[in-house]
Amino acid sequence: MALITDVTVPMPDGTRLAAKLWSPQSAMAGGRVLTILEFLPYRKVDWTARRDASRHEYFREAGYAVLRVDMRGSGNSEGLYYDEYERQEQDDAISVIAWIRAQAWSSGHVVMYGKSWGGFNGLQVAARAPPGLSGVISLYSTDNRYTDDIHHMGGCVLAVQALPWAAVMFAWNARPPHPAPGHGG
């Protein structure tokens, strides 16, 4: 198995996104494989590291490459993060898909995977139909944020969740990038 913890994915504006790559043996031997993309603001180096290790290893053992990317302005990625589901987030995901397709190990087919945030952005990116996006595995999400979002139901703000969620996201994303190269940063 190959786990490459410090992958850099360049964006068209020069911003660099941080990623981890789980690569199956077939890709390491020169084969071309489908890639599963998970695109989140949840710090791959610490916040989701334990979950990623088991989940993405499962996909890798099944013969898929998995790229777990910290969104712009989160984790070890450069740039600024402004809000949920911004157009910039979708543009970046589409650029990541194009980057994946250009890699020697890529079959050119990408599936976005995610629950909640990753499920929402997978559906939003799919609606834009970028070349190479062959599917989306979307859990705990919806294509109608007006009626079915965790923050709004039927257009009403669920205020009980607003402050705690904002505080958690602020606390995690205000942290500096992980300082140790090769430590999953």
Side-chain angles (χ1 to χ4, degrees), residues 1-4 7 20-28 31-38 55-68 99-101 103-113 137:
M1 166 188 108
L3 171 60
I4 305 169
V7 175
K20 278 186 184 178
L21 175 65
W22 285 259
S23 180
Q25 289 296 101
S26 58
M28 293 172 58
R32 295 169 61 86
V33 298
L34 181 141
T35 302
I36 298 171
L37 168 62
E38 188 173 29
R55 183 171 298 154
H56 298 331
E57 176 60 15
Y58 173 83
F59 290 136
R60 186 207 64 79
E61 287 177 356
Y64 303 107
V66 181
L67 190 70
R68 165 60 173 87
W99 180 87
I100 291 168
R101 294 182 73 214
Q103 303 309 301
W105 42 263
S106 173
S107 68
H109 296 282
V110 177
V111 170
M112 287 189 74
Y113 164 83
I137 302 169

Side-chain angles (χ1 to χ4, degrees), residues 112-137:
M112 287 189 74
Y113 164 83
K115 72 176 196 109
S116 188
W117 196 310
F120 281 110
N121 69 23
L123 293 173
Q124 292 163 351
V125 170
R128 294 181 57 188
L133 184 60
S134 300
V136 174
I137 302 169

Side-chain angles (χ1 to χ4, degrees), residues 45-153:
V45 72
D46 46 30
W47 194 354
T48 64
R50 177 178 281 163
R51 177 207 68 136
D52 292 350
S54 63
R55 183 171 298 154
H56 298 331
E57 176 60 15
Y58 173 83
F59 290 136
R60 186 207 64 79
E61 287 177 356
Y64 303 107
V66 181
L67 190 70
R68 165 60 173 87
V69 180
D70 280 342
M71 287 174 21
R72 179 183 296 253
S74 69
N76 278 27
S77 289
E78 298 175 346
L80 297 174
Y81 156 83
Y82 294 104
D83 197 3
E84 295 177 321
Y85 318 120
E86 292 282 326
R87 178 76 176 201
Q88 182 68 59
E89 178 181 332
Q90 296 169 33
D91 291 345
D92 286 351
I94 290 168
S95 294
V96 171
I97 292 167
W99 180 87
I100 291 168
R101 294 182 73 214
Q103 303 309 301
W105 42 263
S106 173
S107 68
H109 296 282
V110 177
V111 170
M112 287 189 74
Y113 164 83
K115 72 176 196 109
S116 188
W117 196 310
F120 281 110
N121 69 23
L123 293 173
Q124 292 163 351
V125 170
R128 294 181 57 188
L133 184 60
S134 300
V136 174
I137 302 169
S138 179
L139 307 163
Y140 303 108
S141 60
T142 179
D143 63 347
N144 187 339
R145 292 192 60 221
Y146 179 80
T147 60
D148 300 320
D149 186 34
I150 190 167
H151 307 298
H152 304 87
M153 290 298 255

